[in-house]
Amino acid sequence: MTTTQIADRATAVAARASELSKVYGTGETQVVALDRVTVDFRQGEFTAIMGPSGSGKSTLMHCVAGLDTFSGGSVRIGETELSTLKDKQLTQLRRDKIGFIFQAFNLLPTLTALENITLPMDIAGRKPDRRWLDQVIAMIGLADRLGHRPTQLSGGQQQRVAVARALASQPEIIFGDEPTGNLDSRSGAEVLGFLRNSVRELGQTVVMVTHDPVAASYADRVIFLADGQIVDEMLHPSADGVLDRMKAFDAKGRTS
Ligand SMILES: Nc1ncnc2c1ncn2[C@@H]1O[C@H](COP(=O)(O)OP(=O)(O)OP(=O)(O)O)[C@@H](O)[C@H]1O
Ligand SMILES: [Mg+2]
């Protein structure tokens, strides 16, 4: 084993962006959405990504998750460099290694909660690990709602189904883009609690974009983006601490 491999094992990186750049458009209309971003998402860690609107949060998440192409640098999920993959392999990696939770719950209306949860695995032709699935369903507290369709569930319950769907296949990493953005604070707190539990108790890796300091306080660390660059990082964040940091950025923005 090389020194690099030993170091890699010690840090156990679920996903890594190195010098990642993303440029939209050309010439006058060119936008540098990501400007040489380097970041590790370690296994079993819950990371929140924060920053002003347009700072590149969604772009970073989409590029690392293999949902979007990038202009420079590299991304790896586990040991796999995304740039080495053909389209079909990338689709397969997304399906097998990555879970997604979006702001809009993205459940299929004609399927029951349980069918929605197992859909990605059904598509992949994989059998869910029944014990794991039961554990996930017990954790999100929807055992008595599994036969319900999304329209028969509240927003919070629908998002819990989406969380279970993301967890069900035991992906390498779960990405959420404002997963609590459409929820009231109580439902949001529940979903955030489940995400945190999935990290603490199940060893899941989670990366979540959020505007909400309270949501960010559920994470192990917060990275702050501004103009496509990582400008700060905070470990063991508290909601007040994150809020203060955001205010400090705003003040700096006004004086510079
Ligand atoms: N498809 C696109 N074409 C051109 N520019 C884009 C495209 N998508 C994003 N951008 C630009 O890239 C920059 C980063 O956008 P991104 O969506 O990553 O921001 P964000 O931090 O997620 O913002 P928000 O908090 O509003 O969701 C912005 O300036 C945006 O206008
Ligand atoms: Mg966004």
Side-chain angles (χ1 to χ4, degrees):
M1 204 184 290
T2 66
T3 328
T4 322
Q5 282 169 324
I6 292 165
D8 284 352
R9 273 180 120 200
T11 48
V13 170
R16 167 177 289 166
S18 306
E19 297 276 309
L20 181 65
S21 293
K22 173 75 178 178
V23 181
Y24 288 110
T26 51
E28 298 253 303
T29 59
Q30 184 168 308
V31 175
V32 180
L34 292 178
D35 186 6
R36 288 163 291 149
V37 170
T38 295
V39 63
D40 279 356
F41 300 109
R42 287 180 288 275
Q43 269 174 21
E45 187 173 55
F46 187 176
T47 303
I49 302 176
M50 301 193 82
S53 185
S55 58
K57 303 180 296 296
S58 295
T59 306
L60 174 61
M61 210 192 77
H62 291 162
C63 288
V64 176
L67 288 170
D68 202 352
T69 57
F70 40 93
S71 320
S74 66
V75 172
R76 73 176 226 220
I77 298 287
E79 298 297 316
T80 311
E81 284 288 343
L82 295 195
S83 59
T84 65
L85 301 180
K86 301 196 171 65
D87 280 356
K88 212 172 150 186
Q89 294 169 308
L90 189 60
T91 306
Q92 203 172 345
L93 175 127
R94 273 202 307 266
R95 201 178 60 195
D96 296 341
K97 303 238 161 137
I98 300 177
F100 295 101
I101 307 167
F102 297 98
Q103 186 170 356
F105 318 129
N106 286 2
L107 302 177
L108 288 187
T110 55
L111 301 183
T112 65
L114 181 61
E115 287 164 348
N116 267 290
I117 291 169
T118 57
L119 181 67
M121 278 177 293
D122 292 340
I123 292 172
R126 278 167 62 192
K127 278 233 175 306
D129 177 336
R130 194 65 229 188
R131 272 184 53 194
W132 172 260
L133 199 58
D134 288 345
Q135 205 179 336
V136 167
I137 288 165
M139 187 183 83
I140 62 161
L142 281 178
D144 58 345
R145 295 281 202 295
L146 291 178
H148 288 52
R149 289 177 210 289
T151 51
Q152 302 169 311
L153 298 170
S154 71
Q157 289 168 338
Q158 289 183 55
Q159 193 64 316
R160 285 197 254 158
V161 172
V163 171
R165 179 183 56 189
L167 283 167
S169 62
Q170 296 181 265
E172 182 96 27
I173 186 164
I174 290 179
F175 292 98
D177 199 349
E178 300 188 48
T180 56
N182 275 337
L183 301 179
D184 62 46
S185 58
R186 201 181 125 206
S187 305
E190 271 171 14
V191 165
L192 290 161
F194 296 130
L195 286 175
R196 186 167 59 189
N197 284 350
S198 76
V199 172
R200 295 272 188 287
E201 291 164 27
L202 312 174
Q204 186 60 60
T205 308
V206 176
V207 178
M208 167 183 78
V209 171
T210 182
H211 283 108
D212 176 8
V214 174
S217 72
Y218 282 75
D220 298 310
R221 67 164 178 165
V222 184
I223 58 174
F224 295 90
L225 278 182
D227 297 328
Q229 296 184 327
I230 294 180
V231 292
D232 208 352
E233 179 179 13
M234 201 180 219
L235 299 178
H236 315 296
S238 67
D240 286 343
V242 170
L243 196 60
D244 286 347
R245 195 68 61 100
M246 288 164 78
K247 282 184 194 154
F249 288 140
D250 284 350
K252 225 184 226 134
R254 275 198 300 276
T255 52
S256 65

